[in-house]
Amino acid sequence: MPLSTRDIRLAQPDDIETIFHLIQQLAVYEKLEHMVSGNPAMLHDALFGSRPYCECVLTADMGKTVGFALYFTTFSTFLCKSGLYLEDLFVIPEARGRGHGKALLIYLAQLAQQRGCGRFEWRVLDWNKPSIDFYRSLGASIMPEWQLVRMTDNAIAKLAAEAISLR
């Protein structure tokens, strides 16, 4: 039976443990489990704290949560419009091929449209051919000319300390 966006629901505070477990499974799939340093309390604060930084929707199969999409608002200076950025989308392996991933993307495309977003964007690992092929089949473009630039804890602290020498 094909899924629809009716099968998607907004995450609630009592979903935190489930979402965090799915995040851990995603990390294993991407061979990045060593990078998971957060915890359920931090995730709860990010989603439901006094200043939420992101949003999350879940998809279920026969009453069991089998996937999630975590996203947040961005802004394009060129378009002078907000955008929707999909940080992570994951469906457990045994539930793949049933339309959960597509249903999550359709839900988010509709949300981006409702919010007047100029862009709906996400990243995909270059080795993840099944996902790349899937995204292209939906009409998404892979932007090889754009490289991810990242700073983490030590680099952020080092650059932030530079402000002292500018005074």
Side-chain angles (χ1 to χ4, degrees):
M1 172 173 83
L3 295 170
S4 73
T5 53
R6 290 187 311 267
D7 300 296
I8 309 298
R9 68 174 180 82
L10 290 171
Q12 300 299 313
D14 61 350
D15 292 315
I16 290 298
E17 292 293 334
T18 300
I19 298 166
F20 194 75
H21 181 68
L22 289 167
I23 290 169
Q24 291 172 314
Q25 290 181 67
L26 168 64
V28 170
Y29 174 75
E30 292 182 342
K31 301 171 182 64
L32 296 171
E33 56 265 52
H34 63 282
M35 301 217 26
V36 177
S37 62
N39 60 53
M42 294 167 72
L43 180 62
H44 183 277
D45 191 48
L47 284 167
F48 304 109
S50 60
R51 183 175 177 214
Y53 293 101
C54 54
E55 300 172 73
C56 184
V57 290
L58 302 169
T59 183
D61 198 334
M62 297 176 65
K64 177 187 176 196
T65 300
V66 296
F68 78 101
L70 192 137
Y71 55 97
F72 54 88
T73 301
T74 61
F75 187 80
S76 167
T77 54
F78 288 3
L79 299 176
C80 294
K81 286 182 150 187
S82 65
L84 199 65
Y85 188 86
L86 173 60
E87 177 65 21
D88 281 311
L89 183 148
F90 180 72
V91 175
I92 61 173
E94 54 271 23
R96 292 182 189 153
R98 297 185 195 153
H100 292 286
K102 186 172 183 179
L104 287 165
L105 289 169
I106 290 169
Y107 176 92
L108 293 176
Q110 291 173 339
L111 184 62
Q113 211 172 34
Q114 290 167 7
R115 292 181 179 181
C117 295
R119 293 182 178 154
F120 173 32
E121 298 177 308
W122 63 94
R123 296 190 182 280
V124 61
L125 291 167
D126 60 0
W127 57 261
N128 194 344
K129 186 169 174 14
S131 292
I132 291 169
D133 292 345
F134 172 62
Y135 298 147
R136 282 189 172 136
S137 78
L138 298 176
S141 301
I142 308 299
M143 312 282 291
E145 65 276 14
W146 290 90
Q147 298 292 315
L148 175 65
V149 179
R150 175 177 289 162
M151 295 182 98
T152 56
D153 299 335
N154 292 337
I156 294 168
K158 183 178 178 185
L159 183 59
E162 295 280 329
I164 296 167
S165 66
L166 296 176
R167 292 182 189 167

